[in-house]
Amino acid sequence: MRFAGGLAVVVLSCGAVGHAVMTGLDTGIDRVDPFKDMKNRPQAGHGMNFLLVGTDGRDKITPEEKREYRLGGAPCHCTDTIMLVHLSADRDRATVISLPRDSYAEVPAHQDQNTGRPHKAHAVKLNAAYSEGGPNLTVRTVENMTRVKIDHYLEVDFTSFMKTVDAVGGVTICTAKTMRDSYTGLELLPGTHRLTGGQALQYVRSRHVDGAADLGRMQRQQRFIAALIKQATSSGVLLNPVKFKQVSSTLLGSVRADRDFGSEQMLALGQAMRGFTPSSSEFASVPVGDTAYEVKGIGSTVKWDEAKAAKLFESLREDRPLADAPAGRSAQPAQGGGSRPPTAVPVDVPPDEIRVQVENGTRIAGLGGRVDSALRATGFDTTGVPGAGARRDVKRTVITYDPRWDRSARTVATALPGSELRAVPGQGRTVLVTAGTDYQKVIPVRADDPYRGQFAVATGDQVNCGT
């Protein structure tokens, strides 16, 4: 969230009004010194590294908001979200790596910020480093675990998160399946949703949507950041000085940052990031070896896969992209020099797992063949032998399916917007598509999990809603 907001700031700073709007904005930032007295730090690599943390700030939430967004209980005064963000030296790419808050960590010797008592190095869950030693111990612990030198520290809490989302007019999220979490109150049906600040907080906090728990939540947080980047770069906020200053004041007025992060740094970054878009960002999580690593006195922790994690952070230090195809301006345009093809819409069932038979329900010659070819092109397992429908006067395309394969049918319906779904018990696993005169095109679809490659990376345009 902080990265996306900061991105909005630096993008505007490229414009003619940038300096005038930026002047004085950083005076409201609450300053911390996370690098005080730090020794034996990792060697600086190429590019710039930010440690972004989201803290549990429910003590600042109103009673009404606590009830509406299920924020009961006492605040833990710990880091609820931890992300390492790398901006490449050429400013063509941003890499966001989520660090599980329950990661097994060993904090170095330090003085407890609450009691003043000295502590020897000991094992903790990563988010507890903030409770014991604040930003300084958090930065020291992350640097020790990753061997990546942190250049800047940024911190946001629940309140500033909600206010910032509302200030940009909400953020659009799409989901391929129903999402319910009784703990946060999240309830989203399949489709596209415009989330307000409070709803967005429910979305990024939910851990009980599926069996993926906190690891699934980290991917939803990454999707949200990608959506926020898209909103910031595609809306008129960045081109409207008045609106931009309103959003920036909301954002920066409630953030904690290191002493060296201010408007000058944001302006310098902005000049270098003129072509930055959602596709310029890539998202990954630290490779995990054991999701239930028991530690005496601590409980169940998340143990990193040391070998894979070491390779990931080596790529970060050496300023190499994680995605198989580099993100950003180096991406290849569509064939023929045209614009990029539309982003595929995420669906619940992978299209290559769905058997489809196409029939032509009209008198339009060759329509069945065109529909079959288009569905196969986006990944569906079509028969390749379209037939003639029993009726030749079908106006609206019909998808007939066995109720046992309803999720597959909804995936086909996503690819054929406006079509009608009809359940036929006993039909079997093959989905029947009867093309009507309303057919225009097939919308590209993809499995809901776009993370690929040795580090399970996805670029921002891959995790955004389709266009």
Side-chain angles (χ1 to χ4, degrees):
M1 179 65 197
R2 179 59 37 238
F3 164 69
L7 177 63
V9 174
V10 299
V11 170
L12 179 70
S13 65
C14 301
V17 298
H19 192 276
V21 173
M22 294 292 294
T23 301
L25 278 181
D26 57 353
T27 58
I29 299 178
D30 186 9
R31 297 294 180 181
V32 295
D33 190 1
F35 310 116
K36 182 179 180 180
D37 299 328
M38 288 184 62
K39 300 176 182 178
N40 301 318
R41 302 185 65 191
Q43 183 177 356
H46 302 287
M48 185 178 296
N49 301 308
F50 293 77
L51 185 64
L52 312 182
V53 302
T55 57
D56 183 341
R58 73 186 73 200
D59 51 340
K60 302 177 184 179
I61 302 291
T62 67
E64 293 76 15
E65 289 172 327
K66 283 186 177 181
R67 285 193 298 270
E68 184 174 0
Y69 302 118
R70 310 286 179 89
L71 292 168
C76 70
H77 302 292
C78 58
T79 46
D80 198 54
T81 299
I82 308 167
M83 292 181 174
L84 185 58
V85 177
H86 173 79
L87 294 180
S88 63
D90 59 12
R91 301 300 185 257
D92 265 358
R93 182 185 69 260
T95 302
V96 181
I97 300 178
S98 296
L99 312 182
R101 65 179 189 174
D102 291 337
S103 296
Y104 172 83
E106 295 181 6
V107 294
H110 64 281
Q111 186 176 39
D112 192 298
Q113 66 174 357
N114 302 306
T115 65
R117 296 172 54 188
H119 284 300
K120 295 181 180 180
H122 62 278
V124 296
K125 291 183 179 180
L126 180 56
N127 68 338
Y130 187 91
S131 304
E132 293 188 18
N136 180 264
L137 186 60
T138 301
V139 170
R140 291 175 65 193
T141 302
V142 171
E143 285 194 345
N144 286 351
M145 296 174 73
T146 65
R147 304 311 301 163
V148 172
K149 185 176 183 181
I150 306 300
D151 298 300
H152 292 292
Y153 173 89
L154 296 168
E155 178 184 311
V156 63
D157 62 21
F158 288 171
T159 303
S160 54
F161 178 90
M162 292 194 295
K163 287 182 178 179
T164 302
V165 174
D166 287 334
V168 299
V171 172
T172 300
I173 289 293
C174 54
T175 174
K177 60 185 73 175
T178 298
M179 288 188 176
R180 288 192 177 93
D181 188 332
S182 60
Y183 291 83
T184 64
L186 177 72
E187 184 162 352
L188 296 178
L189 296 175
T192 301
H193 307 271
R194 188 78 166 182
L195 304 185
T196 63
Q199 293 169 329
L201 184 61
Q202 291 176 307
Y203 180 82
V204 299
R205 287 185 62 237
S206 291
R207 305 176 68 199
H208 304 277
V209 171
D210 49 38
D214 198 46
L215 301 180
R217 185 184 73 149
M218 290 191 304
Q219 287 192 350
R220 284 187 287 278
Q221 291 171 348
Q222 294 170 357
R223 290 171 185 266
F224 187 85
I225 290 176
L228 187 58
I229 293 173
K230 182 178 180 180
Q231 170 72 5
T233 55
S234 63
S235 68
V237 170
L238 300 182
L239 301 178
N240 184 327
V242 176
K243 181 65 174 175
F244 177 79
K245 189 154 191 174
Q246 175 191 346
V247 172
S248 300
S249 297
T250 300
L251 181 80
L252 298 178
S254 54
V255 66
R256 298 216 303 168
D258 63 88
R259 301 179 187 277
D260 293 329
F261 184 78
S263 57
E264 288 187 14
Q265 286 71 35
M266 289 185 280
L267 282 166
L269 286 173
Q271 292 297 323
M273 295 173 64
R274 299 179 186 222
F276 207 86
T277 66
S279 63
S280 305
S281 57
E282 54 182 15
F283 299 86
S285 300
V286 175
V288 171
D290 189 346
T291 59
Y293 182 70
E294 288 291 332
V295 181
K296 186 177 180 180
I298 299 176
S300 180
T301 67
V302 174
K303 193 76 160 55
W304 295 359
D305 183 315
E306 295 183 7
K308 291 182 180 179
K311 289 183 179 180
L312 182 145
F313 294 120
E314 179 184 7
S315 294
L316 220 62
R317 289 191 297 272
E318 296 184 358
D319 202 23
R320 299 197 304 263
L322 302 182
D324 292 335
R329 287 182 294 222
S330 59
Q332 295 297 316
Q335 289 185 351
S339 59
R340 292 174 61 94
T343 304
V345 177
V347 290
D348 192 7
V349 180
D352 60 359
E353 296 181 6
I354 303 174
R355 186 67 167 170
V356 178
Q357 171 65 52
V358 177
E359 291 186 351
N360 186 352
T362 75
R363 298 185 181 279
I364 302 174
L367 179 61
R370 294 202 304 273
V371 175
D372 182 282
S373 297
L375 287 171
R376 178 170 288 274
T378 198
F380 288 96
D381 179 23
T382 66
T383 63
V385 186
R391 294 177 51 189
R392 309 305 297 272
D393 58 351
V394 176
K395 295 181 179 180
R396 183 182 179 188
T397 299
V398 178
I399 299 171
T400 308
Y401 66 98
D402 190 311
R404 294 176 296 172
W405 283 272
D406 60 326
R407 292 167 56 235
S408 295
R410 287 196 298 270
T411 293
V412 177
T414 300
L416 293 167
S419 56
E420 177 185 347
L421 283 166
R422 290 182 187 172
V424 178
Q427 176 173 299
R429 67 179 292 265
T430 299
V431 176
L432 175 63
V433 173
T434 303
T437 56
D438 67 336
Y439 170 78
Q440 294 183 346
K441 63 179 180 179
V442 167
I443 303 297
V445 297
R446 59 167 170 76
D448 192 34
D449 181 10
Y451 293 82
R452 296 287 183 269
Q454 65 170 327
F455 299 127
V457 182
T459 54
D461 56 336
Q462 291 173 327
V463 295
N464 261 309
C465 297
T467 55

